[in-house]
Amino acid sequence: MKHLLAIAAIIVGFNSISAKNNTAAYECIYEYTVKGEDKKDNPFSDVAYCILQIGNGDAKFYDYTTFQTDSVRQAGADEKVIGQYELRQQRAVNFFDQTVYQNAPKGKMTVESVITPNYFTYEDNRYPVEWTMVEATDTVCGYPCLTARGEYGGRTWTVKYAPEIPVQYGPWKLTGLPGLILDAQDEEGIHHFSAITFRNATSQIIPPQNKGKISTNRDKFIQNKNHFEKNPVGNLPPESISEMEIRKGEDGQGTILVNGVQLRMREHPYIPLELK
């Protein structure tokens, strides 16, 4: 009975919200875990948090600290408060540096990401994964889930989706099933998205902002991104640097900005979501 009421509420919610693309109805927060080994072969497990904002016809997936900054800005907080949230965002040790707009524009995905000192944007297919159903069930966030498997970007993914949440969205670029994808893990157990909260929306969806971003294509971006992250400092082209700034906070931690764009120094080796 609980889940019958839940699905009814979700359908009513989607039917009652405005048709404007920037109106969110629901939000799903995911724990994103990356497992690997450092340069000394010591195992590590990095954890970040991301959010999927679900609207009436589109969705947006990005880092949770950025979402928090956007939310206080939308709420009309003063510049000091906004600055504090921006600082938290800059100092996030494990930061998900992609923003994925699902079904925006219609029938496509828009992806925004960074290769310091530039921001980039490109389009991908709306449903990039061809799914195969698997005979396995589970419960995630209290919702009964079915299982599917598919390949994307050189990795094979097993996902759990909830038919009771009737949207074809999911974490990152994993979309296209008849229910919200609540859990996704690649075959090697390196990357894992797991929903921890599904709730009513608390903030508006901010649409793609193309100003200041370089338009490219997926294959070119993935190739350049994966190469750059092997050695961010060494792969930073000297001719691209017009200014460099190091900001130190009261705690002594520093933030490196190149042409105003943050150069994130990762604690552990970068393990790409997309191998190709």
Side-chain angles (χ1 to χ4, degrees):
M1 186 65 177
K2 172 186 174 182
H3 292 294
L4 289 175
L5 292 174
I7 187 172
I10 291 169
I11 293 173
V12 169
F14 278 117
N15 288 337
S16 63
I17 63 175
S18 166
K20 293 181 180 179
N21 285 339
N22 66 345
T23 302
Y26 296 95
E27 296 166 352
C28 189
I29 300 173
Y30 294 84
E31 182 180 82
Y32 171 48
T33 305
V34 182
K35 293 182 178 180
E37 293 183 346
D38 63 19
K39 295 179 181 179
K40 296 181 179 180
D41 297 327
N42 296 314
F44 68 82
S45 181
D46 289 339
V47 178
Y49 293 91
C50 302
I51 187 167
L52 179 70
Q53 293 179 288
I54 302 170
N56 184 21
D58 63 353
K60 178 180 179 180
F61 184 82
Y62 61 130
D63 189 85
Y64 190 68
T65 62
T66 306
F67 163 79
Q68 290 177 311
T69 303
D70 290 345
S71 296
V72 296
R73 187 177 286 114
Q74 288 182 30
D78 62 41
E79 290 301 317
K80 183 178 180 181
V81 173
I82 294 173
Q84 291 172 345
Y85 276 86
E86 288 176 338
L87 189 60
R88 287 176 57 195
Q89 179 181 328
Q90 290 174 355
R91 294 185 177 178
V93 176
N94 303 312
F95 181 83
F96 190 80
D97 65 5
Q98 296 184 47
T99 299
V100 182
Y101 298 87
Q102 302 175 10
N103 202 34
K106 189 174 182 179
K108 296 285 186 179
M109 287 191 196
T110 297
V111 182
E112 297 174 349
S113 192
V114 61
I115 303 174
T116 308
N118 297 304
Y119 292 106
F120 292 85
T121 181
Y122 66 89
E123 287 188 359
D124 205 344
N125 295 326
R126 169 72 176 91
Y127 303 117
V129 186
E130 185 175 339
W131 298 107
T132 300
M133 299 301 113
V134 177
E135 291 187 8
T137 59
D138 201 351
T139 299
V140 182
C141 276
Y143 289 92
C145 290
L146 301 178
T147 305
R149 184 173 293 124
E151 189 277 334
Y152 178 76
R155 296 190 185 279
T156 299
W157 291 87
T158 299
V159 304
K160 301 170 185 178
Y161 67 96
E164 291 187 4
I165 307 176
V167 295
Q168 295 187 16
Y169 304 122
W172 184 45
K173 299 180 182 179
L174 304 175
T175 65
L177 286 165
L180 179 64
I181 295 174
L182 294 175
D183 189 273
Q185 186 168 8
D186 77 296
E187 190 172 45
E188 296 178 272
I190 296 173
H191 298 276
H192 187 194
F193 297 96
S194 182
I196 56 175
T197 301
F198 180 73
R199 67 190 188 191
N200 290 327
T202 61
S203 186
Q204 296 281 306
I205 297 176
I206 298 176
Q209 307 292 317
N210 292 326
K211 184 178 180 181
K213 295 182 175 65
I214 298 172
S215 181
T216 185
N217 62 65
R218 176 193 172 274
D219 292 347
K220 184 177 180 179
F221 179 82
I222 297 303
Q223 181 180 1
N224 291 338
K225 176 70 169 177
N226 290 352
H227 170 73
F228 176 82
E229 292 291 353
K230 290 178 181 178
N231 182 7
V233 175
N235 290 327
L236 190 64
E239 66 276 9
S240 70
I241 303 173
S242 59
E243 62 178 16
M244 181 176 288
E245 179 185 2
I246 299 178
R247 297 177 180 173
K248 281 193 175 182
E250 296 178 355
D251 56 2
Q253 292 185 349
T255 300
I256 302 173
L257 300 175
V258 181
N259 304 353
V261 178
Q262 184 172 359
L263 177 64
R264 288 189 180 273
M265 305 304 295
R266 301 178 186 275
E267 183 179 6
H268 296 124
Y270 177 76
I271 304 179
L273 274 164
E274 295 161 89
L275 299 172
K276 60 183 183 179

